[in-house]
Amino acid sequence: MKRRQFIKQGIGALATLALGEVILLTPDEAAAATRRMSEPAAPPPVPVVDYRNLKQVPSTCLNCSTVCGIVGLVQNGELVAIEGNPADPNTHGTLCAKGVGAISINTYPERLLYPLKRVGKRGEGLWQRISWDEAYATLARRIQANIDAGHPERVALHQGRSRLGAEFSRFLNAIGSPVSLNHRALCSSNKRAANYATIGDTDWETPNADKSRYILNFGSNFMECHQGSIHLARRVAQGRANNGAKLVTFDVRLSNTAGRSDEWHAPFPGTDGLIALAMGHVILEAGLHDAAFINDWVNADLAALRAFYAPYTPEWAERESGIKTADIRRIAREFAAAAPAAVAFTNRGSQAHYNGFNNDRAVILLNALVGSIGQEGGYNYMKTGLGGFGVKQPEPVPPSPKIRTDLEDPPEWPLANRWQKMRVGEIVYDYLKAGRAKLDVYLSYTLAAPLTWPEGRSLAVEVLCDETLIPFHACSDVVYSEMAHYADMILPDASYLERWGLDNRDNYEMRPYIALRQPITPPPGECVSFADVLINVGKRLGPEQARYFQFANHEEFVRQQCENIRIPGVANAFDYLKEHGLWVDTAKPTAWRTYERNIADSELAGTRSDEAGIVWRTNAQGKAVAIGLRSGDRVRRGFDTPSRKFEACNAEVAKAAAKVGIADDGWPHYVPIPSHLNLPADRLILTTFKWNVHTQARTAPQKLLSEIVHDNPLWINSATARRHALKSGDWVEVTTYRPKGHTLHPTGEMLGRQRVRVVVTEGIHPRVVAISASLGHGFSGRASEGRKGRRRANPGFASPTGNAAREDWDLAENLWWDKASGGRGNGFNLNAIIPIHPSPVTGMQSWFDTVCTVKKV
């Protein structure tokens, strides 16, 4: 107690923390301090906003990965509102709640403000304020030691959602480390792999729903949280209003999308692919397929397709999935009749399973059977990425490392790094604990693994606390997160509203575009964008590394990236993007049926054709690259697959599976989930889902979004609830079990237990219980923790207008979901008892396969 008299307490004390002083940052201490200081006071006056004289700054949202164009409205140097950018071809100026609710990020009173270093035990919460010079020097010294010792691979960068891929890759390549870790396998790798394996695309599909007449949805909750949800939701609405399009949704839970569909069907978890295969069986059996597309563009003939689909009868699908045979036959016929203006697509509900890779391939194949690939109203895709605009890295460009490690390229999942660096992020902490990899320097960026990872508050926290496994951990984050709490150094990050970057996504108008993210207001305190941190560290490394960081800062890096962008009538692309936010290349043709496009004779010089008609060109690195498919006297572009055709059967998949002892002939067969076979009557399947206002761990600290959704009881079917004598509001103990099958630790043994409140509903499959993710924070401030109270006598940071004593009245007095005030609190987080469960071959986390029991308590 005597020692603590000399230690400042609570995040609010950061503003008065002098260089070298020590502060205690833990949820309990901070909460106790704020509650003791809480006292009635008059609310501050509401600022008057003069909307006639606001400065408008275009930028790009990052409250989820959809990256919508936004315009920040600034008054007297302070962000007062966020609107959609009318120039955005996807949104046309509309925004979801997350985009608008981000208004609270910049002025969040509990922001991290200064670089801090740990002075107590790791996880104890004692921090000392240091200078950026000390932070940069420490990082550079530790990283350089690994380079000099010949072990650059012992430096890892582990990122959450960043949209800073070029910057991170440059830093790691410069130091010679291949260990770039991400959360792709916790999000979308099965879905991406399915697209890569069938059409060769490098991103998600772009359903042309506004021109569609039939929309077949497997597990996508696009009214809330699909990739590009707002883009797709408004176009589905247009398709239904203008074309009479029918929307049919398969989902184990009555999501907002399922509830707004013409039909909702709740299949047994993980049987989506079998239902799609049964529909394909019906389409071929009835002769409703597109014979011309199959003959010209599918790498298997009609006889092979019939043989593959023959076993997958609707009757089999009904036995496994519970969906009636008559419904499967009817929907298949309706879908085929509407083609080519018909689209079948997927999302997390189908792909986040042990068999999710084949589930999604089977659904995509439905589009090929009816010839809707690339058609208006059908299953579309387009090339994204910045390279098509001439975006380049500043010279000199560091080479890619030749080293590989099990941590970033685990051999058990050979397709994880085949098409794109998807990686198997969920195994990182397990591999470190098991000694499969060794790290000396661990850099984490907006990750919050204890909250968002499977076995997060169990295994992840155990490894993060162990200094023998992670000797040094530097965490960049905006708030004091659960990841920052277990670091050795905290690097206060600039929010996405305060930093630079180039970005783009699929354009539902089917033309490429490029967008700029730029600071709307400067960051508070001494916050620095992590991209600038890496640049500053790079400059302090040895000459061999420092030569790759000759630009001044991140803004200059982005400016140089833009030098080769050519916008008609514009002298400087960077300045144009600063003014307008984005640019759509309307000179490019719309991306309909791109596989049919002819390659001009002038482009064929120096090429060769093989016996299959594939046209090859040798690139600058001396590697033969397929560029098209010869058809008679012309060469067409085809698909970006090895065969240049849509691949119903993929030979690479078969080879990859064989490497790890899995029998696979390359076709998207239905594979039952081992943990679900012969499921005892008392066992249920635990699934998770997302709300429209929350994204992983980054949104709960934003008060406007947590006010909308801050509680997440466990959904349970009414029939199941009756068997357990449960009613809404009761508490249950959830017990989870490890998986079975070809995965990590397939023991089937009990993993953990946790108490949670239930809500009883008809809107969920009887064998499923569901809970939303992104809640149950133990850190990150009052809004996410559900604790109101004054921020002590100290301000968080000075406002641009100089009002250093400003407090957030909502967080101090109006946070009505605080349990102490009779509210429900901040929800639950079950990730500690959800097992790490990579799916075979691809490594995608099988979030929705967890077997559990529930018991009333």
Side-chain angles (χ1 to χ4, degrees):
M1 290 299 296
K2 185 176 181 180
R3 179 181 71 153
R4 291 190 178 184
Q5 293 176 3
F6 302 98
I7 297 174
K8 294 191 173 184
Q9 295 184 38
I11 200 80
L14 274 176
T16 59
L17 188 70
L19 195 65
E21 285 189 330
V22 175
I23 190 169
L24 178 66
L25 300 177
T26 67
D28 291 342
E29 290 285 347
T34 56
R35 288 175 188 279
R36 285 194 298 271
M37 296 299 297
S38 182
E39 58 186 28
V46 178
V48 177
V49 178
D50 182 1
Y51 285 94
R52 298 167 300 176
N53 298 300
L54 294 175
K55 179 183 177 183
Q56 299 189 32
V57 183
S59 191
T60 308
C61 188
L62 196 53
N63 244 357
C64 79
S65 62
T66 297
V67 297
C68 300
I70 58 175
V71 176
L73 306 181
V74 180
Q75 176 176 275
N76 298 324
E78 187 167 349
L79 179 65
V80 296
I82 298 174
E83 296 180 346
N85 187 343
D88 188 313
N90 280 317
T91 67
H92 299 293
T94 56
L95 278 185
C96 73
K98 290 193 292 290
V100 176
I103 182 66
S104 65
I105 295 177
N106 287 13
T107 55
Y108 185 61
E110 292 152 336
R111 288 273 305 261
L112 292 167
L113 297 173
Y114 310 110
L116 304 168
K117 72 175 181 181
R118 174 172 65 89
V119 292
K121 295 179 180 178
R122 190 179 287 179
E124 185 181 15
L126 280 173
W127 301 93
Q128 183 181 46
R129 180 181 167 185
I130 60 175
S131 68
W132 273 112
D133 279 341
E134 181 179 346
Y136 294 146
T138 301
L139 289 166
R141 183 179 68 253
R142 286 182 172 272
I143 292 170
Q144 190 68 52
N146 276 89
I147 296 171
D148 294 343
H151 288 295
E153 79 282 359
R154 294 182 183 175
V155 179
L157 197 162
H158 203 170
Q159 60 174 299
R161 182 161 288 121
S162 71
R163 311 301 292 172
L164 291 168
E167 292 85 340
F168 290 176
S169 294
R170 185 182 189 90
F171 182 81
L172 288 171
N173 290 350
I175 67 173
S177 173
V179 190
S180 174
L181 308 170
N182 59 31
H183 75 297
R184 176 68 48 80
L186 281 76
C187 181
S188 62
S189 58
N190 266 339
K191 182 175 181 64
R192 290 173 181 268
N195 265 348
Y196 302 153
T198 52
I199 61 178
D201 190 36
T202 57
D203 213 326
W204 299 39
E205 78 285 328
T206 312
N208 191 220
D210 55 323
K211 293 181 173 63
S212 187
R213 295 193 295 121
Y214 207 94
I215 303 167
L216 189 51
N217 167 27
F218 288 86
S220 170
N221 184 12
F222 59 80
M223 297 287 185
E224 295 189 272
C225 62
H226 180 102
Q227 182 89 18
S229 60
I230 189 171
H231 316 338
L232 183 54
R234 53 196 305 273
R235 286 166 175 82
V236 168
Q238 290 169 349
R240 298 176 80 183
N242 299 335
N243 314 327
K246 185 173 183 177
L247 173 60
V248 178
T249 293
F250 291 86
D251 198 322
V252 297
R253 183 182 65 91
L254 187 62
S255 66
N256 274 325
T257 303
R260 288 163 174 78
S261 300
D262 296 292
E263 294 184 25
W264 167 52
H265 300 271
F268 189 82
T271 60
D272 308 72
L274 178 57
I275 296 166
L277 292 171
M279 289 182 179
H281 175 104
V282 172
I283 290 168
L284 290 171
E285 182 183 59
L288 300 175
H289 56 279
D290 186 327
F293 181 85
I294 292 171
N295 182 66
D296 291 346
W297 290 112
V298 177
N299 76 332
D301 60 23
L302 191 55
L305 287 166
R306 289 188 190 279
F308 166 64
Y309 276 102
Y312 294 107
T313 64
E315 290 76 16
W316 181 18
E318 179 176 355
R319 289 194 299 272
E320 292 284 313
S321 70
I323 306 302
K324 294 185 180 302
T325 295
D327 286 330
I328 293 174
R329 290 187 178 277
R330 174 181 54 80
I331 294 169
R333 288 175 175 272
E334 291 174 355
F335 175 74
V343 58
F345 62 93
T346 66
N347 203 267
R348 291 185 177 90
S350 61
Q351 63 105 19
H353 289 284
Y354 181 92
N355 57 9
F357 176 46
N358 278 0
N359 281 347
D360 278 28
R361 290 171 67 203
V363 173
I364 298 170
L365 186 51
L366 277 178
N367 298 280
L369 290 183
V370 299
S372 68
I373 301 286
Q375 300 283 354
E376 294 187 45
Y379 189 91
N380 281 278
Y381 59 97
M382 62 178 298
K383 287 295 179 185
T384 57
L386 304 173
F389 289 91
V391 172
K392 67 181 186 70
Q393 289 254 7
E395 296 289 344
V397 178
S400 298
K402 303 300 182 185
I403 311 169
R404 68 155 297 278
T405 72
D406 284 358
L407 197 62
E408 49 84 30
D409 187 16
E412 296 94 326
W413 295 279
L415 292 187
N417 287 347
R418 167 58 185 89
W419 296 286
Q420 193 184 52
K421 296 296 184 183
M422 297 185 292
R423 301 179 178 83
V424 190
E426 67 267 44
I427 55 89
V428 167
Y429 303 111
D430 185 90
Y431 274 27
L432 289 173
K433 183 179 179 181
R436 287 282 300 271
K438 182 176 176 59
L439 290 182
D440 292 321
V441 179
Y442 179 64
L443 308 175
S444 68
Y445 176 71
T446 62
L447 193 67
L451 186 81
T452 61
W453 242 244
E455 301 184 47
R457 284 182 175 155
S458 44
L459 177 65
V461 168
E462 176 189 349
V463 173
L464 288 169
C465 286
D466 192 332
E467 295 182 46
T468 65
L469 299 178
I470 302 179
F472 180 76
H473 172 199
C475 172
S476 175
D477 215 329
V478 174
V479 296
Y480 190 66
S481 63
E482 301 196 34
M483 200 71 177
H485 185 66
Y486 299 106
D488 301 301
M489 182 181 289
I490 296 176
L491 310 170
D493 190 33
S495 78
Y496 72 82
L497 298 170
E498 301 159 348
R499 69 165 172 87
W500 296 95
L502 290 176
D503 218 330
N504 70 352
R505 278 296 194 189
D506 296 29
N507 177 2
Y508 281 73
E509 305 298 326
M510 306 307 293
R511 282 194 172 94
Y513 78 100
I514 186 168
L516 177 71
R517 183 171 292 110
Q518 65 177 316
I520 296 174
T521 58
E526 294 183 4
C527 296
V528 174
S529 165
F530 190 50
D532 274 310
V533 170
L534 296 181
I535 292 167
N536 280 297
V537 172
K539 291 176 183 294
R540 286 165 169 79
L541 296 173
E544 179 60 29
Q545 293 77 38
R547 67 193 182 98
Y548 298 118
F549 301 95
Q550 295 177 12
F551 37 87
N553 50 34
H554 192 209
E555 178 182 0
E556 179 59 28
F557 176 90
V558 175
R559 184 182 291 274
Q560 290 188 35
Q561 282 185 299
C562 294
E563 287 180 356
N564 287 348
I565 300 175
R566 298 291 177 257
I567 302 176
V570 172
N572 186 295
F574 180 78
D575 290 341
Y576 177 93
L577 293 173
K578 280 185 66 177
E579 180 180 355
H580 299 278
L582 54 86
W583 172 62
V584 182
D585 189 354
T586 56
K588 293 280 180 67
T590 53
W592 310 120
R593 298 177 296 281
T594 54
Y595 50 86
E596 291 184 347
R597 291 180 185 166
N598 292 334
I599 298 179
D601 291 341
S602 59
E603 299 178 52
L604 296 176
T607 63
R608 63 176 179 84
S609 300
D610 63 17
E611 293 180 356
I614 301 173
V615 179
W616 300 84
R617 172 182 287 128
T618 302
N619 65 16
Q621 290 73 41
K623 182 179 179 181
V625 178
I627 65 167
L629 189 65
R630 186 169 293 282
S631 176
D633 60 352
R634 59 182 178 146
V635 176
R636 293 186 288 183
R637 183 182 180 279
F639 293 88
D640 287 340
T641 58
S643 66
R644 304 304 291 182
K645 291 187 175 185
F646 180 100
E647 300 217 339
C649 177
N650 188 293
E652 289 187 271
V653 171
K655 291 178 182 177
K659 288 181 179 179
V660 291
I662 297 175
D664 193 314
D665 60 6
W667 289 86
H669 289 283
Y670 169 66
V671 178
I673 296 168
S675 297
H676 298 180
L677 292 173
N678 304 313
L679 197 66
D682 69 328
R683 301 282 170 105
L684 301 170
I685 298 167
L686 173 65
T687 189
T688 61
F689 62 94
K690 292 184 178 181
W691 294 105
N692 64 327
V693 295
H694 284 305
T695 308
Q696 281 86 31
R698 72 174 58 216
T699 47
Q702 299 166 39
K703 65 177 183 180
L704 301 178
L705 301 181
S706 273
E707 182 170 30
I708 297 171
V709 175
H710 47 263
D711 188 25
N712 58 338
L714 186 78
W715 292 33
I716 188 167
N717 182 272
S718 55
T720 311
R722 284 194 295 272
R723 289 198 300 273
H724 291 79
L726 291 169
K727 64 181 183 302
S728 290
D730 285 346
W731 288 82
V732 297
E733 181 181 73
V734 179
T735 302
T736 60
Y737 300 86
R738 290 203 175 276
K740 299 176 182 178
H742 197 103
T743 187
L744 190 74
H745 307 313
T747 63
E749 64 187 8
M750 193 267 284
L751 175 60
R753 294 187 173 95
Q754 191 164 329
R755 293 176 73 248
V756 64
R757 194 170 48 247
V758 301
V759 60
V760 178
T761 175
E762 293 286 334
I764 193 167
H765 191 285
R767 297 302 299 272
V768 176
V769 289
I771 191 164
S772 74
S774 306
L775 295 179
H777 287 239
F779 296 75
S780 302
R782 289 167 287 179
S784 57
E785 295 171 40
R787 305 173 188 266
K788 76 175 183 179
R790 301 295 297 280
R791 197 191 51 228
R792 295 176 52 85
N794 301 307
F797 59 89
S799 72
T801 57
N803 180 15
R806 183 177 58 185
E807 166 65 292
D808 189 310
W809 183 254
D810 290 331
L811 299 177
E813 302 293 342
N814 293 339
L815 202 147
W816 50 269
W817 55 96
D818 187 343
K819 285 184 178 179
S821 300
R824 284 293 186 94
N826 67 332
F828 309 94
N829 186 285
L830 295 189
N831 283 348
I833 63 169
I834 292 180
I836 300 168
H837 186 8
S839 59
V841 188
T842 64
M844 170 76 197
Q845 169 67 15
S846 305
W847 282 114
F848 305 153
D849 294 348
T850 303
V851 173
C852 72
T853 58
V854 298
K855 181 178 71 174
K856 186 175 181 178
V857 293

